[in-house]
Amino acid sequence: MSSIDGGDIRKLVVACDAGMGSSVMLAAQLRRELRKMPVIVEHHAIASIPSDADVVLCQAGLADRVRAGAPRSVVVGFRMFLGDPAVARVVAAVKQGGVVVGTTGG
């Protein structure tokens, strides 16, 4: 399992399987929440996750595919697009410090 200190996160990617729906809204929400932090928030399809992504957020069921496509990134799976504790932990680690731990399994 991989991890990263919240203060070391410079690029956060929200990855999706195909669409441009809820994951785009989550990326926009995270951009607003982290606008004062030195973090770039982007949205990408799983097939095009940039190699410099520090953390990749994705639906839990997609985590194995994301890990295969972004092996150097910390992958955090979530279950809900709004109000998910895993997403809240990443935001808190960026803002207040702490470690982001990648999730295992899908």
Side-chain angles (χ1 to χ4, degrees):
M1 184 177 341
S2 59
S3 63
I4 186 171
D5 185 88
D8 293 334
I9 298 171
R10 295 294 169 255
K11 184 177 280 189
L12 175 67
V13 170
V14 178
C16 70
D17 192 20
M20 294 287 288
S22 300
S23 56
V24 171
M25 290 189 296
L26 176 59
Q29 173 191 330
L30 291 172
R31 269 188 219 102
R32 283 190 302 275
E33 284 187 63
L34 299 173
R35 70 181 172 272
K36 295 182 181 181
M37 306 305 296
V39 176
I40 296 168
V41 178
E42 296 179 347
H43 174 268
H44 290 279
I46 292 172
S48 63
I49 297 170
S51 62
D52 63 343
D54 297 308
V55 174
V56 180
L57 291 166
C58 64
Q59 287 183 299
L62 302 174
D64 288 338
R65 286 180 49 208
V66 170
R67 268 191 289 284
R72 290 190 249 159
S73 302
V74 175
V75 177
V76 177
F78 59 85
R79 302 224 178 267
M80 302 175 292
F81 281 98
L82 298 175
D84 192 283
V87 175
R89 284 191 296 272
V90 171
V91 170
V94 171
K95 287 182 166 182
Q96 301 160 358
V99 175
V100 174
V101 178
T103 55
T104 58

